């Protein structure tokens, strides 16, 4: 059984920083790609950042230079360090692992950036 449990998030002023964490249990963590998505009510969930098993990363243009995705293959965690936060970054953030061609999601974490 695959389980993803998120922590972090909350309320921060514009320009501030937050760190999201996601611990994954179930699959052989180190060989699977991971990602962070976000969703604003009434809109589609969108990719924020992704990281391959080898550690290669890819970022959405709107977070490049501000957010950093990383993974810890010892403790089965994926992180999203968010710096220079803007009000437009306000959303629910989700971690995701792809395993056997299926996507599994965390429970979601609210990030609110005040202006």
């Amino acid at each position: 059984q695959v389980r993803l449990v998120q922590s972090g998030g909350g309320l921060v002023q514009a320009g501030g920083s937050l760190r999201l964490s996601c611990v994954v249990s179930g699959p052989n963590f180190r060989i699977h790609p991971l990602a962070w998505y976000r969703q604003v009510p009434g809109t589609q969930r969108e990719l924020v950042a992704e990281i391959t098993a080898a550690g290669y990363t890819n970022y959405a243009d709107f977070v490049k230079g501000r957010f950093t995705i990383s993974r810890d293959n010892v403790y089965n965690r994926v992180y999203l360090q968010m710096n220079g936060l803007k009000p437009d970054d306000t959303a629910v953030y989700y971690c995701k692992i792809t395993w056997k061609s299926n996507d599994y999601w965390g429970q979601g974490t609210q990030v609110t950036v005040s202006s």
Side-chain angles (χ1 to χ4, degrees):
Q1 182 179 359
V2 182
R3 188 172 181 224
L4 293 83
V5 179
Q6 298 178 218
S7 60
L11 174 64
V12 66
Q13 288 188 331
S17 298
L18 286 172
R19 188 196 198 201
L20 304 182
S21 177
C22 175
V23 60
V24 182
S25 58
N28 186 355
F29 178 87
R30 66 184 64 221
I31 67 172
H32 299 289
L34 301 155
W36 287 95
Y37 283 71
R38 70 186 189 186
Q39 188 171 24
V40 175
T43 68
Q44 285 193 331
R45 199 168 292 188
E46 60 183 0
L47 176 68
V48 174
E50 55 190 346
I51 185 167
T52 68
Y56 295 103
T57 58
N58 178 55
Y59 295 92
D61 286 343
F62 52 78
V63 303
K64 280 182 180 176
R66 299 189 298 125
F67 291 12
T68 302
I69 187 172
S70 61
R71 63 189 296 159
D72 182 336
N73 289 337
V74 174
Y75 294 103
N76 289 8
R77 291 179 181 268
V78 59
Y79 301 99
L80 185 68
Q81 178 65 44
M82 305 184 291
N83 299 328
L85 282 160
K86 306 174 182 178
D88 285 349
D89 294 319
T90 296
V92 177
Y93 285 71
Y94 298 89
C95 57
K96 184 193 82 170
I97 188 169
T98 301
W99 181 52
K100 295 185 178 180
S101 300
N102 293 317
D103 292 335
Y104 296 85
W105 299 88
Q107 80 275 20
T109 301
Q110 178 69 45
V111 171
T112 303
V113 185
S114 62
S115 57

mmCIF file of all heavy atoms in Angstrom, residues 10-34:
data_model
loop_
_atom_site.group_PDB
_atom_site.id
_atom_site.type_symbol
_atom_site.label_atom_id
_atom_site.label_comp_id
_atom_site.label_asym_id
_atom_site.label_seq_id
_atom_site.Cartn_x
_atom_site.Cartn_y
_atom_site.Cartn_z
ATOM 1 N N GLY A 10 1.286 26.626 5.474
ATOM 2 C CA GLY A 10 0.758 27.600 6.408
ATOM 3 C C GLY A 10 0.653 28.975 5.779
ATOM 4 O O GLY A 10 0.558 29.117 4.561
ATOM 5 N N LEU A 11 0.673 29.977 6.654
ATOM 6 C CA LEU A 11 0.504 31.373 6.234
ATOM 7 C C LEU A 11 1.837 32.101 6.323
ATOM 8 O O LEU A 11 2.541 32.001 7.338
ATOM 9 C CB LEU A 11 -0.529 32.060 7.127
ATOM 10 C CG LEU A 11 -0.727 33.567 6.938
ATOM 11 C CD1 LEU A 11 -1.276 33.863 5.550
ATOM 12 C CD2 LEU A 11 -1.641 34.112 8.022
ATOM 13 N N VAL A 12 2.177 32.843 5.279
ATOM 14 C CA VAL A 12 3.428 33.579 5.253
ATOM 15 C C VAL A 12 3.215 34.882 4.493
ATOM 16 O O VAL A 12 2.334 34.967 3.623
ATOM 17 C CB VAL A 12 4.544 32.729 4.608
ATOM 18 C CG1 VAL A 12 4.259 32.482 3.139
ATOM 19 C CG2 VAL A 12 5.910 33.348 4.821
ATOM 20 N N GLN A 13 3.998 35.880 4.810
ATOM 21 C CA GLN A 13 3.919 37.146 4.082
ATOM 22 C C GLN A 13 4.679 37.035 2.765
ATOM 23 O O GLN A 13 5.611 36.220 2.630
ATOM 24 C CB GLN A 13 4.496 38.272 4.917
ATOM 25 C CG GLN A 13 3.630 38.677 6.105
ATOM 26 C CD GLN A 13 4.150 39.920 6.798
ATOM 27 O OE1 GLN A 13 5.339 40.188 6.787
ATOM 28 N NE2 GLN A 13 3.238 40.675 7.395
ATOM 29 N N ALA A 14 4.304 37.862 1.833
ATOM 30 C CA ALA A 14 4.992 37.899 0.544
ATOM 31 C C ALA A 14 6.486 38.133 0.769
ATOM 32 O O ALA A 14 6.882 38.954 1.604
ATOM 33 C CB ALA A 14 4.403 38.993 -0.331
ATOM 34 N N GLY A 15 7.278 37.373 0.027
ATOM 35 C CA GLY A 15 8.723 37.439 0.176
ATOM 36 C C GLY A 15 9.289 36.425 1.144
ATOM 37 O O GLY A 15 10.509 36.227 1.199
ATOM 38 N N GLY A 16 8.421 35.786 1.895
ATOM 39 C CA GLY A 16 8.850 34.813 2.885
ATOM 40 C C GLY A 16 9.119 33.447 2.298
ATOM 41 O O GLY A 16 9.053 33.244 1.073
ATOM 42 N N SER A 17 9.425 32.511 3.195
ATOM 43 C CA SER A 17 9.795 31.156 2.783
ATOM 44 C C SER A 17 9.003 30.123 3.569
ATOM 45 O O SER A 17 8.616 30.356 4.720
ATOM 46 C CB SER A 17 11.290 30.918 3.024
ATOM 47 O OG SER A 17 12.086 31.786 2.259
ATOM 48 N N LEU A 18 8.792 28.995 2.920
ATOM 49 C CA LEU A 18 8.193 27.836 3.566
ATOM 50 C C LEU A 18 8.846 26.589 3.006
ATOM 51 O O LEU A 18 9.350 26.592 1.877
ATOM 52 C CB LEU A 18 6.682 27.755 3.315
ATOM 53 C CG LEU A 18 5.770 28.725 4.057
ATOM 54 C CD1 LEU A 18 4.349 28.602 3.509
ATOM 55 C CD2 LEU A 18 5.798 28.466 5.540
ATOM 56 N N ARG A 19 8.790 25.523 3.784
ATOM 57 C CA ARG A 19 9.293 24.237 3.330
ATOM 58 C C ARG A 19 8.225 23.185 3.519
ATOM 59 O O ARG A 19 7.700 23.007 4.624
ATOM 60 C CB ARG A 19 10.548 23.848 4.107
ATOM 61 C CG ARG A 19 11.251 22.621 3.569
ATOM 62 C CD ARG A 19 12.224 22.104 4.595
ATOM 63 N NE ARG A 19 13.212 21.211 4.027
ATOM 64 C CZ ARG A 19 13.915 20.328 4.745
ATOM 65 N NH1 ARG A 19 13.710 20.244 6.048
ATOM 66 N NH2 ARG A 19 14.809 19.554 4.175
ATOM 67 N N LEU A 20 7.918 22.502 2.423
ATOM 68 C CA LEU A 20 6.971 21.396 2.468
ATOM 69 C C LEU A 20 7.744 20.082 2.502
ATOM 70 O O LEU A 20 8.785 19.949 1.855
ATOM 71 C CB LEU A 20 6.050 21.414 1.257
ATOM 72 C CG LEU A 20 5.267 22.702 1.019
ATOM 73 C CD1 LEU A 20 4.350 22.528 -0.199
ATOM 74 C CD2 LEU A 20 4.472 23.100 2.235
ATOM 75 N N SER A 21 7.186 19.125 3.218
ATOM 76 C CA SER A 21 7.798 17.806 3.322
ATOM 77 C C SER A 21 6.746 16.744 3.041
ATOM 78 O O SER A 21 5.561 16.937 3.335
ATOM 79 C CB SER A 21 8.365 17.603 4.725
ATOM 80 O OG SER A 21 8.904 16.305 4.883
ATOM 81 N N CYS A 22 7.188 15.656 2.461
ATOM 82 C CA CYS A 22 6.279 14.554 2.143
ATOM 83 C C CYS A 22 7.035 13.249 2.384
ATOM 84 O O CYS A 22 8.078 13.011 1.756
ATOM 85 C CB CYS A 22 5.825 14.670 0.693
ATOM 86 S SG CYS A 22 4.795 13.315 0.085
ATOM 87 N N VAL A 23 6.513 12.428 3.275
ATOM 88 C CA VAL A 23 7.128 11.127 3.531
ATOM 89 C C VAL A 23 6.307 10.055 2.832
ATOM 90 O O VAL A 23 5.073 10.061 2.898
ATOM 91 C CB VAL A 23 7.261 10.864 5.041
ATOM 92 C CG1 VAL A 23 5.913 10.883 5.727
ATOM 93 C CG2 VAL A 23 7.970 9.542 5.308
ATOM 94 N N VAL A 24 7.001 9.156 2.155
ATOM 95 C CA VAL A 24 6.347 8.143 1.328
ATOM 96 C C VAL A 24 6.625 6.758 1.891
ATOM 97 O O VAL A 24 7.773 6.417 2.176
ATOM 98 C CB VAL A 24 6.861 8.217 -0.124
ATOM 99 C CG1 VAL A 24 6.140 7.199 -1.005
ATOM 100 C CG2 VAL A 24 6.689 9.630 -0.683
ATOM 101 N N SER A 25 5.598 5.958 2.000
ATOM 102 C CA SER A 25 5.763 4.573 2.417
ATOM 103 C C SER A 25 5.113 3.667 1.385
ATOM 104 O O SER A 25 4.128 4.046 0.737
ATOM 105 C CB SER A 25 5.149 4.344 3.794
ATOM 106 O OG SER A 25 3.778 4.685 3.795
ATOM 107 N N GLY A 26 5.682 2.478 1.230
ATOM 108 C CA GLY A 26 5.102 1.497 0.325
ATOM 109 C C GLY A 26 6.061 1.017 -0.743
ATOM 110 O O GLY A 26 6.596 -0.082 -0.646
ATOM 111 N N PRO A 27 6.267 1.803 -1.804
ATOM 112 C CA PRO A 27 7.122 1.336 -2.901
ATOM 113 C C PRO A 27 8.601 1.496 -2.574
ATOM 114 O O PRO A 27 8.966 2.084 -1.568
ATOM 115 C CB PRO A 27 6.727 2.262 -4.050
ATOM 116 C CG PRO A 27 6.320 3.534 -3.377
ATOM 117 C CD PRO A 27 5.661 3.099 -2.088
ATOM 118 N N ASN A 28 9.428 0.965 -3.474
ATOM 119 C CA ASN A 28 10.865 1.187 -3.377
ATOM 120 C C ASN A 28 11.134 2.635 -3.749
ATOM 121 O O ASN A 28 11.316 2.978 -4.916
ATOM 122 C CB ASN A 28 11.593 0.234 -4.309
ATOM 123 C CG ASN A 28 13.094 0.322 -4.156
ATOM 124 O OD1 ASN A 28 13.600 1.155 -3.414
ATOM 125 N ND2 ASN A 28 13.807 -0.524 -4.867
ATOM 126 N N PHE A 29 11.150 3.477 -2.773
ATOM 127 C CA PHE A 29 11.129 4.930 -2.956
ATOM 128 C C PHE A 29 12.167 5.433 -3.931
ATOM 129 O O PHE A 29 11.887 6.240 -4.813
ATOM 130 C CB PHE A 29 11.319 5.589 -1.589
ATOM 131 C CG PHE A 29 11.369 7.082 -1.618
ATOM 132 C CD1 PHE A 29 10.202 7.831 -1.558
ATOM 133 C CD2 PHE A 29 12.586 7.757 -1.669
ATOM 134 C CE1 PHE A 29 10.242 9.216 -1.562
ATOM 135 C CE2 PHE A 29 12.637 9.136 -1.684
ATOM 136 C CZ PHE A 29 11.462 9.863 -1.625
ATOM 137 N N ARG A 30 13.393 4.932 -3.793
ATOM 138 C CA ARG A 30 14.513 5.566 -4.487
ATOM 139 C C ARG A 30 14.467 5.420 -5.999
ATOM 140 O O ARG A 30 15.197 6.117 -6.709
ATOM 141 C CB ARG A 30 15.821 5.029 -3.950
ATOM 142 C CG ARG A 30 16.068 3.549 -4.234
ATOM 143 C CD ARG A 30 17.340 3.081 -3.583
ATOM 144 N NE ARG A 30 17.232 3.175 -2.137
ATOM 145 C CZ ARG A 30 18.219 3.611 -1.362
ATOM 146 N NH1 ARG A 30 19.368 3.985 -1.899
ATOM 147 N NH2 ARG A 30 18.073 3.664 -0.058
ATOM 148 N N ILE A 31 13.646 4.552 -6.539
ATOM 149 C CA ILE A 31 13.665 4.332 -7.990
ATOM 150 C C ILE A 31 12.505 5.012 -8.699
ATOM 151 O O ILE A 31 12.332 4.839 -9.903
ATOM 152 C CB ILE A 31 13.663 2.831 -8.330
ATOM 153 C CG1 ILE A 31 12.337 2.180 -7.920
ATOM 154 C CG2 ILE A 31 14.850 2.127 -7.704
ATOM 155 C CD1 ILE A 31 12.208 0.746 -8.397
ATOM 156 N N HIS A 32 11.729 5.793 -7.970
ATOM 157 C CA HIS A 32 10.538 6.391 -8.574
ATOM 158 C C HIS A 32 10.614 7.903 -8.656
ATOM 159 O O HIS A 32 11.172 8.543 -7.762
ATOM 160 C CB HIS A 32 9.303 6.002 -7.768
ATOM 161 C CG HIS A 32 9.076 4.524 -7.742
ATOM 162 N ND1 HIS A 32 8.651 3.820 -8.859
ATOM 163 C CD2 HIS A 32 9.231 3.615 -6.760
ATOM 164 C CE1 HIS A 32 8.559 2.541 -8.539
ATOM 165 N NE2 HIS A 32 8.899 2.397 -7.288
ATOM 166 N N PRO A 33 10.044 8.473 -9.715
ATOM 167 C CA PRO A 33 9.991 9.933 -9.807
ATOM 168 C C PRO A 33 8.981 10.509 -8.816
ATOM 169 O O PRO A 33 7.997 9.850 -8.456
ATOM 170 C CB PRO A 33 9.545 10.185 -11.253
ATOM 171 C CG PRO A 33 8.789 8.958 -11.629
ATOM 172 C CD PRO A 33 9.450 7.823 -10.900
ATOM 173 N N LEU A 34 9.250 11.721 -8.399
ATOM 174 C CA LEU A 34 8.403 12.420 -7.427
ATOM 175 C C LEU A 34 8.091 13.809 -7.961
ATOM 176 O O LEU A 34 8.843 14.348 -8.776
ATOM 177 C CB LEU A 34 9.121 12.540 -6.091
ATOM 178 C CG LEU A 34 9.531 11.235 -5.427
ATOM 179 C CD1 LEU A 34 10.699 11.456 -4.493
ATOM 180 C CD2 LEU A 34 8.354 10.634 -4.690
#
